[in-house]
Amino acid sequence: MQQSDVLTPERTRTASPFDTKATQHGASGSAARVIPIVPLSDSEAEVARQMQICNACRYCEGFCAVFPAMTRRLDFGKADVNYLANLCHNCGACYHACQYAPPHEFAVNVPKSMAQVRLETYTEYAFPRAFGALYKRNGVTLSVSLAAGLALFLMLGIALRGGLSADATPANFYAIFPHNLLAAMFGTVFLFAMLALGVGVTRFWRDVSAGTASASMPAAVEAAKHALTLKYLDGGHGDGCNESDDAFTLARRRFHHFTFYGFMLCFAATAVATLYHYAFSLEAPYPYLSIPVLLGTAGGIGLFVGPAGLWWLNLRRNPERTDARQRPMDRGFIALLMLTSVSGLALLGFRATPAMPPLLAIHLGIVMALFATLPYGKFAHGIFRSAALLKSSIDKRQGNALSLGAD
């Protein structure tokens, strides 16, 4: 049988029965379910083509969660492709093990093809969608420009109130920006980010989880464990991803951990400071050895080490396994994280000096830009990937009805 008989993208432009559902009434008046075919994009069709080849080979079945999930399907529609693409962690193990990888005529390159589809899902499920498209094209420029614009706006506000003078109250942030004003500004931006992320992941879950049972506690615990430990960045063998020199390394996993847990420590510092303010009437600034400052310092260091390492890996990544279109989005998010860390640590170090007011404005502008772009940048991939991991854990507990592969 020739390759073109079954493996061309045109032959894979099919849809899962769960992609779209509609009901029409026939001549007799009875309801009949009509399941229209949802066309695949070129990137989605390419993933579907490659998954059909992989489903016949199955050499990589033990590498990660993608391939066991693949064995549950004989056909790959839009929802299936989006699900598998977000389940992929781009470790590269399957690319280096594949006998059909380029220059073979089958040209199987699962990591790159999955990355191209993931980029489309970030835009497709974004809320509002236009914001996602804008960030995808100009991630670094938009991130830095937004942060600079917000910081400048805040600095102008301080200047108009005379707060940039050298005799400003040292270390007293609320003398520059009243607490209620800060709470209103950041509360609005944060709630918008959570709303946009919630709408996006709800749309994604609605599409990819049709036909599955409700999440069980063991499935949720397993998915959370896989997400928090980044299990599938170990290459399927525990030695890590293949990076620029194709050697195995756990660097990407470790830098992701620095980034994520640094972010969470900063969030914890803010939460504890909020508790101090409202529950115990203790207002900032807090001593250097207080819990909020210690948490924030550790988080700030993590938010510098992790993103700096990820930027370094991004610059050296093998272009054959990545989608170059994602670089603006990746680097825009990394830049904001690094700027948040540097400005926050600088503010902490110089909070008792005349440099505090402008540093405060700069830091607040960067943090607001970070929150505003969370639903449209690389942060969203963690949300979608966690949803895909949850679906994978649920599916495993339902068994494989096809009985053609192992879990």
Side-chain angles (χ1 to χ4, degrees), residues 12-19 38-40 44-45 47-48 73-84:
T12 59
R13 290 180 177 273
T14 56
S16 165
F18 302 115
D19 282 344
V38 178
L40 276 66
E44 291 166 342
V47 168
R73 293 157 176 81
L74 297 177
D75 190 29
F76 299 92
K78 184 179 181 67
D80 299 311
V81 170
N82 287 342
Y83 160 54
L84 294 175

PDB file of all heavy atoms in Angstrom, residues 12-19 38-40 44-45 47-48 73-84:
ATOM      1  N   THR A  12      -7.101  12.649   6.374  1.00  0.00           N
ATOM      2  CA  THR A  12      -7.305  12.665   7.821  1.00  0.00           C
ATOM      3  C   THR A  12      -8.171  13.819   8.276  1.00  0.00           C
ATOM      4  O   THR A  12      -8.295  14.069   9.462  1.00  0.00           O
ATOM      5  CB  THR A  12      -5.945  12.771   8.542  1.00  0.00           C
ATOM      6  OG1 THR A  12      -5.296  13.956   8.109  1.00  0.00           O
ATOM      7  CG2 THR A  12      -5.083  11.568   8.232  1.00  0.00           C
ATOM      8  N   ARG A  13      -8.773  14.536   7.366  1.00  0.00           N
ATOM      9  CA  ARG A  13      -9.624  15.661   7.755  1.00  0.00           C
ATOM     10  C   ARG A  13     -10.993  15.147   8.186  1.00  0.00           C
ATOM     11  O   ARG A  13     -12.000  15.370   7.532  1.00  0.00           O
ATOM     12  CB  ARG A  13      -9.752  16.659   6.599  1.00  0.00           C
ATOM     13  CG  ARG A  13      -8.465  17.418   6.333  1.00  0.00           C
ATOM     14  CD  ARG A  13      -8.656  18.374   5.185  1.00  0.00           C
ATOM     15  NE  ARG A  13      -7.455  19.162   4.959  1.00  0.00           N
ATOM     16  CZ  ARG A  13      -7.178  20.290   5.577  1.00  0.00           C
ATOM     17  NH1 ARG A  13      -8.012  20.780   6.465  1.00  0.00           N
ATOM     18  NH2 ARG A  13      -6.063  20.949   5.330  1.00  0.00           N
ATOM     19  N   THR A  14     -10.987  14.409   9.302  1.00  0.00           N
ATOM     20  CA  THR A  14     -12.213  13.864   9.855  1.00  0.00           C
ATOM     21  C   THR A  14     -12.434  14.457  11.226  1.00  0.00           C
ATOM     22  O   THR A  14     -11.602  15.173  11.750  1.00  0.00           O
ATOM     23  CB  THR A  14     -12.125  12.324   9.948  1.00  0.00           C
ATOM     24  OG1 THR A  14     -10.971  11.999  10.721  1.00  0.00           O
ATOM     25  CG2 THR A  14     -12.011  11.719   8.562  1.00  0.00           C
ATOM     26  N   ALA A  15     -13.540  14.126  11.811  1.00  0.00           N
ATOM     27  CA  ALA A  15     -13.844  14.700  13.130  1.00  0.00           C
ATOM     28  C   ALA A  15     -14.325  13.622  14.061  1.00  0.00           C
ATOM     29  O   ALA A  15     -14.915  12.631  13.645  1.00  0.00           O
ATOM     30  CB  ALA A  15     -14.905  15.785  13.005  1.00  0.00           C
ATOM     31  N   SER A  16     -14.043  13.810  15.317  1.00  0.00           N
ATOM     32  CA  SER A  16     -14.549  12.921  16.344  1.00  0.00           C
ATOM     33  C   SER A  16     -16.059  13.100  16.471  1.00  0.00           C
ATOM     34  O   SER A  16     -16.583  14.192  16.278  1.00  0.00           O
ATOM     35  CB  SER A  16     -13.872  13.254  17.674  1.00  0.00           C
ATOM     36  OG  SER A  16     -14.561  12.668  18.735  1.00  0.00           O
ATOM     37  N   PRO A  17     -16.782  12.031  16.823  1.00  0.00           N
ATOM     38  CA  PRO A  17     -18.225  12.184  17.034  1.00  0.00           C
ATOM     39  C   PRO A  17     -18.565  13.192  18.112  1.00  0.00           C
ATOM     40  O   PRO A  17     -19.694  13.630  18.214  1.00  0.00           O
ATOM     41  CB  PRO A  17     -18.653  10.763  17.453  1.00  0.00           C
ATOM     42  CG  PRO A  17     -17.620   9.874  16.872  1.00  0.00           C
ATOM     43  CD  PRO A  17     -16.345  10.632  16.929  1.00  0.00           C
ATOM     44  N   PHE A  18     -17.584  13.563  18.935  1.00  0.00           N
ATOM     45  CA  PHE A  18     -17.872  14.485  20.029  1.00  0.00           C
ATOM     46  C   PHE A  18     -17.471  15.913  19.708  1.00  0.00           C
ATOM     47  O   PHE A  18     -17.519  16.780  20.543  1.00  0.00           O
ATOM     48  CB  PHE A  18     -17.131  14.029  21.294  1.00  0.00           C
ATOM     49  CG  PHE A  18     -17.488  12.635  21.703  1.00  0.00           C
ATOM     50  CD1 PHE A  18     -16.543  11.635  21.670  1.00  0.00           C
ATOM     51  CD2 PHE A  18     -18.783  12.322  22.087  1.00  0.00           C
ATOM     52  CE1 PHE A  18     -16.868  10.348  22.033  1.00  0.00           C
ATOM     53  CE2 PHE A  18     -19.106  11.038  22.461  1.00  0.00           C
ATOM     54  CZ  PHE A  18     -18.153  10.053  22.427  1.00  0.00           C
ATOM     55  N   ASP A  19     -16.981  16.167  18.468  1.00  0.00           N
ATOM     56  CA  ASP A  19     -16.546  17.522  18.138  1.00  0.00           C
ATOM     57  C   ASP A  19     -17.706  18.505  18.167  1.00  0.00           C
ATOM     58  O   ASP A  19     -17.659  19.534  18.813  1.00  0.00           O
ATOM     59  CB  ASP A  19     -15.907  17.549  16.749  1.00  0.00           C
ATOM     60  CG  ASP A  19     -14.483  17.015  16.776  1.00  0.00           C
ATOM     61  OD1 ASP A  19     -13.907  16.920  17.869  1.00  0.00           O
ATOM     62  OD2 ASP A  19     -13.973  16.711  15.714  1.00  0.00           O
ATOM     63  N   VAL A  38     -16.291  18.547  11.412  1.00  0.00           N
ATOM     64  CA  VAL A  38     -15.608  19.794  11.724  1.00  0.00           C
ATOM     65  C   VAL A  38     -14.265  19.781  11.012  1.00  0.00           C
ATOM     66  O   VAL A  38     -13.443  18.904  11.272  1.00  0.00           O
ATOM     67  CB  VAL A  38     -15.397  19.952  13.242  1.00  0.00           C
ATOM     68  CG1 VAL A  38     -14.650  21.244  13.535  1.00  0.00           C
ATOM     69  CG2 VAL A  38     -16.734  19.916  13.956  1.00  0.00           C
ATOM     70  N   PRO A  39     -14.023  20.707  10.104  1.00  0.00           N
ATOM     71  CA  PRO A  39     -12.769  20.684   9.349  1.00  0.00           C
ATOM     72  C   PRO A  39     -11.573  20.947  10.248  1.00  0.00           C
ATOM     73  O   PRO A  39     -11.643  21.723  11.199  1.00  0.00           O
ATOM     74  CB  PRO A  39     -12.958  21.805   8.322  1.00  0.00           C
ATOM     75  CG  PRO A  39     -13.953  22.721   8.931  1.00  0.00           C
ATOM     76  CD  PRO A  39     -14.883  21.848   9.722  1.00  0.00           C
ATOM     77  N   LEU A  40     -10.480  20.295   9.932  1.00  0.00           N
ATOM     78  CA  LEU A  40      -9.241  20.476  10.666  1.00  0.00           C
ATOM     79  C   LEU A  40      -8.384  21.522   9.966  1.00  0.00           C
ATOM     80  O   LEU A  40      -8.407  21.638   8.741  1.00  0.00           O
ATOM     81  CB  LEU A  40      -8.457  19.167  10.748  1.00  0.00           C
ATOM     82  CG  LEU A  40      -8.823  18.175  11.853  1.00  0.00           C
ATOM     83  CD1 LEU A  40     -10.221  17.625  11.652  1.00  0.00           C
ATOM     84  CD2 LEU A  40      -7.807  17.039  11.899  1.00  0.00           C
ATOM     85  N   GLU A  44      -3.617  20.723  12.448  1.00  0.00           N
ATOM     86  CA  GLU A  44      -4.366  19.634  13.077  1.00  0.00           C
ATOM     87  C   GLU A  44      -4.401  18.408  12.171  1.00  0.00           C
ATOM     88  O   GLU A  44      -4.280  17.267  12.639  1.00  0.00           O
ATOM     89  CB  GLU A  44      -5.775  20.110  13.398  1.00  0.00           C
ATOM     90  CG  GLU A  44      -5.830  21.150  14.506  1.00  0.00           C
ATOM     91  CD  GLU A  44      -7.166  21.848  14.592  1.00  0.00           C
ATOM     92  OE1 GLU A  44      -7.947  21.810  13.618  1.00  0.00           O
ATOM     93  OE2 GLU A  44      -7.445  22.464  15.638  1.00  0.00           O
ATOM     94  N   ALA A  45      -4.556  18.626  10.873  1.00  0.00           N
ATOM     95  CA  ALA A  45      -4.568  17.512   9.931  1.00  0.00           C
ATOM     96  C   ALA A  45      -3.224  16.790   9.919  1.00  0.00           C
ATOM     97  O   ALA A  45      -3.163  15.562   9.789  1.00  0.00           O
ATOM     98  CB  ALA A  45      -4.915  18.011   8.522  1.00  0.00           C
ATOM     99  N   VAL A  47      -1.119  16.546  12.483  1.00  0.00           N
ATOM    100  CA  VAL A  47      -1.056  15.732  13.697  1.00  0.00           C
ATOM    101  C   VAL A  47      -1.882  14.460  13.526  1.00  0.00           C
ATOM    102  O   VAL A  47      -1.440  13.366  13.908  1.00  0.00           O
ATOM    103  CB  VAL A  47      -1.550  16.530  14.918  1.00  0.00           C
ATOM    104  CG1 VAL A  47      -1.767  15.606  16.120  1.00  0.00           C
ATOM    105  CG2 VAL A  47      -0.550  17.615  15.283  1.00  0.00           C
ATOM    106  N   ALA A  48      -3.066  14.584  12.962  1.00  0.00           N
ATOM    107  CA  ALA A  48      -3.906  13.407  12.739  1.00  0.00           C
ATOM    108  C   ALA A  48      -3.206  12.397  11.831  1.00  0.00           C
ATOM    109  O   ALA A  48      -3.266  11.185  12.066  1.00  0.00           O
ATOM    110  CB  ALA A  48      -5.241  13.839  12.131  1.00  0.00           C
ATOM    111  N   ARG A  73      -7.892   5.475  20.194  1.00  0.00           N
ATOM    112  CA  ARG A  73      -8.576   6.082  19.045  1.00  0.00           C
ATOM    113  C   ARG A  73      -8.108   5.439  17.750  1.00  0.00           C
ATOM    114  O   ARG A  73      -6.920   5.139  17.590  1.00  0.00           O
ATOM    115  CB  ARG A  73      -8.278   7.600  19.004  1.00  0.00           C
ATOM    116  CG  ARG A  73      -8.881   8.353  20.167  1.00  0.00           C
ATOM    117  CD  ARG A  73      -8.178   9.667  20.445  1.00  0.00           C
ATOM    118  NE  ARG A  73      -8.872  10.388  21.508  1.00  0.00           N
ATOM    119  CZ  ARG A  73      -8.716  10.127  22.800  1.00  0.00           C
ATOM    120  NH1 ARG A  73      -7.891   9.193  23.206  1.00  0.00           N
ATOM    121  NH2 ARG A  73      -9.407  10.812  23.703  1.00  0.00           N
ATOM    122  N   LEU A  74      -9.052   5.254  16.849  1.00  0.00           N
ATOM    123  CA  LEU A  74      -8.715   4.842  15.492  1.00  0.00           C
ATOM    124  C   LEU A  74      -8.800   6.022  14.533  1.00  0.00           C
ATOM    125  O   LEU A  74      -8.253   5.971  13.430  1.00  0.00           O
ATOM    126  CB  LEU A  74      -9.656   3.730  15.019  1.00  0.00           C
ATOM    127  CG  LEU A  74      -9.584   2.421  15.808  1.00  0.00           C
ATOM    128  CD1 LEU A  74     -10.618   1.436  15.287  1.00  0.00           C
ATOM    129  CD2 LEU A  74      -8.186   1.828  15.747  1.00  0.00           C
ATOM    130  N   ASP A  75      -9.476   7.074  14.960  1.00  0.00           N
ATOM    131  CA  ASP A  75      -9.677   8.265  14.142  1.00  0.00           C
ATOM    132  C   ASP A  75      -9.343   9.475  15.010  1.00  0.00           C
ATOM    133  O   ASP A  75      -9.503   9.437  16.233  1.00  0.00           O
ATOM    134  CB  ASP A  75     -11.129   8.327  13.660  1.00  0.00           C
ATOM    135  CG  ASP A  75     -11.342   9.395  12.614  1.00  0.00           C
ATOM    136  OD1 ASP A  75     -10.384   9.684  11.882  1.00  0.00           O
ATOM    137  OD2 ASP A  75     -12.456   9.943  12.541  1.00  0.00           O
ATOM    138  N   PHE A  76      -8.865  10.552  14.395  1.00  0.00           N
ATOM    139  CA  PHE A  76      -8.415  11.713  15.157  1.00  0.00           C
ATOM    140  C   PHE A  76      -9.082  12.963  14.618  1.00  0.00           C
ATOM    141  O   PHE A  76      -8.675  13.509  13.588  1.00  0.00           O
ATOM    142  CB  PHE A  76      -6.890  11.833  15.092  1.00  0.00           C
ATOM    143  CG  PHE A  76      -6.185  10.641  15.673  1.00  0.00           C
ATOM    144  CD1 PHE A  76      -5.818   9.585  14.863  1.00  0.00           C
ATOM    145  CD2 PHE A  76      -5.938  10.566  17.030  1.00  0.00           C
ATOM    146  CE1 PHE A  76      -5.198   8.467  15.392  1.00  0.00           C
ATOM    147  CE2 PHE A  76      -5.319   9.456  17.577  1.00  0.00           C
ATOM    148  CZ  PHE A  76      -4.945   8.402  16.762  1.00  0.00           C
ATOM    149  N   GLY A  77     -10.141  13.393  15.319  1.00  0.00           N
ATOM    150  CA  GLY A  77     -10.826  14.611  14.949  1.00  0.00           C
ATOM    151  C   GLY A  77     -10.220  15.816  15.645  1.00  0.00           C
ATOM    152  O   GLY A  77      -9.215  15.716  16.359  1.00  0.00           O
ATOM    153  N   LYS A  78     -10.839  16.943  15.463  1.00  0.00           N
ATOM    154  CA  LYS A  78     -10.317  18.202  15.990  1.00  0.00           C
ATOM    155  C   LYS A  78     -10.157  18.163  17.509  1.00  0.00           C
ATOM    156  O   LYS A  78      -9.114  18.566  18.044  1.00  0.00           O
ATOM    157  CB  LYS A  78     -11.244  19.343  15.581  1.00  0.00           C
ATOM    158  CG  LYS A  78     -10.753  20.729  15.982  1.00  0.00           C
ATOM    159  CD  LYS A  78     -11.725  21.795  15.507  1.00  0.00           C
ATOM    160  CE  LYS A  78     -11.232  23.194  15.877  1.00  0.00           C
ATOM    161  NZ  LYS A  78      -9.999  23.544  15.127  1.00  0.00           N
ATOM    162  N   ALA A  79     -11.172  17.699  18.209  1.00  0.00           N
ATOM    163  CA  ALA A  79     -11.097  17.651  19.671  1.00  0.00           C
ATOM    164  C   ALA A  79     -10.002  16.703  20.134  1.00  0.00           C
ATOM    165  O   ALA A  79      -9.267  17.002  21.088  1.00  0.00           O
ATOM    166  CB  ALA A  79     -12.449  17.232  20.251  1.00  0.00           C
ATOM    167  N   ASP A  80      -9.871  15.550  19.469  1.00  0.00           N
ATOM    168  CA  ASP A  80      -8.828  14.592  19.837  1.00  0.00           C
ATOM    169  C   ASP A  80      -7.443  15.185  19.635  1.00  0.00           C
ATOM    170  O   ASP A  80      -6.556  15.036  20.479  1.00  0.00           O
ATOM    171  CB  ASP A  80      -8.966  13.323  18.990  1.00  0.00           C
ATOM    172  CG  ASP A  80     -10.285  12.622  19.194  1.00  0.00           C
ATOM    173  OD1 ASP A  80     -10.663  12.411  20.359  1.00  0.00           O
ATOM    174  OD2 ASP A  80     -10.947  12.292  18.197  1.00  0.00           O
ATOM    175  N   VAL A  81      -7.252  15.857  18.517  1.00  0.00           N
ATOM    176  CA  VAL A  81      -5.945  16.447  18.216  1.00  0.00           C
ATOM    177  C   VAL A  81      -5.602  17.540  19.223  1.00  0.00           C
ATOM    178  O   VAL A  81      -4.472  17.612  19.720  1.00  0.00           O
ATOM    179  CB  VAL A  81      -5.935  16.994  16.771  1.00  0.00           C
ATOM    180  CG1 VAL A  81      -4.684  17.825  16.523  1.00  0.00           C
ATOM    181  CG2 VAL A  81      -6.004  15.845  15.769  1.00  0.00           C
ATOM    182  N   ASN A  82      -6.563  18.393  19.558  1.00  0.00           N
ATOM    183  CA  ASN A  82      -6.310  19.456  20.539  1.00  0.00           C
ATOM    184  C   ASN A  82      -5.978  18.877  21.910  1.00  0.00           C
ATOM    185  O   ASN A  82      -5.116  19.406  22.634  1.00  0.00           O
ATOM    186  CB  ASN A  82      -7.523  20.379  20.640  1.00  0.00           C
ATOM    187  CG  ASN A  82      -7.660  21.282  19.436  1.00  0.00           C
ATOM    188  OD1 ASN A  82      -6.725  21.488  18.682  1.00  0.00           O
ATOM    189  ND2 ASN A  82      -8.848  21.844  19.240  1.00  0.00           N
ATOM    190  N   TYR A  83      -6.656  17.810  22.263  1.00  0.00           N
ATOM    191  CA  TYR A  83      -6.392  17.142  23.535  1.00  0.00           C
ATOM    192  C   TYR A  83      -4.979  16.559  23.563  1.00  0.00           C
ATOM    193  O   TYR A  83      -4.203  16.811  24.500  1.00  0.00           O
ATOM    194  CB  TYR A  83      -7.434  16.051  23.755  1.00  0.00           C
ATOM    195  CG  TYR A  83      -7.058  14.971  24.734  1.00  0.00           C
ATOM    196  CD1 TYR A  83      -6.640  15.278  26.030  1.00  0.00           C
ATOM    197  CD2 TYR A  83      -7.134  13.622  24.370  1.00  0.00           C
ATOM    198  CE1 TYR A  83      -6.308  14.273  26.927  1.00  0.00           C
ATOM    199  CE2 TYR A  83      -6.810  12.617  25.262  1.00  0.00           C
ATOM    200  CZ  TYR A  83      -6.389  12.947  26.533  1.00  0.00           C
ATOM    201  OH  TYR A  83      -6.052  11.963  27.424  1.00  0.00           O
ATOM    202  N   LEU A  84      -4.608  15.805  22.548  1.00  0.00           N
ATOM    203  CA  LEU A  84      -3.292  15.179  22.506  1.00  0.00           C
ATOM    204  C   LEU A  84      -2.184  16.226  22.437  1.00  0.00           C
ATOM    205  O   LEU A  84      -1.119  16.053  23.043  1.00  0.00           O
ATOM    206  CB  LEU A  84      -3.197  14.232  21.309  1.00  0.00           C
ATOM    207  CG  LEU A  84      -4.120  13.004  21.351  1.00  0.00           C
ATOM    208  CD1 LEU A  84      -4.011  12.213  20.058  1.00  0.00           C
ATOM    209  CD2 LEU A  84      -3.791  12.119  22.547  1.00  0.00           C
TER     210      LEU A  84
END
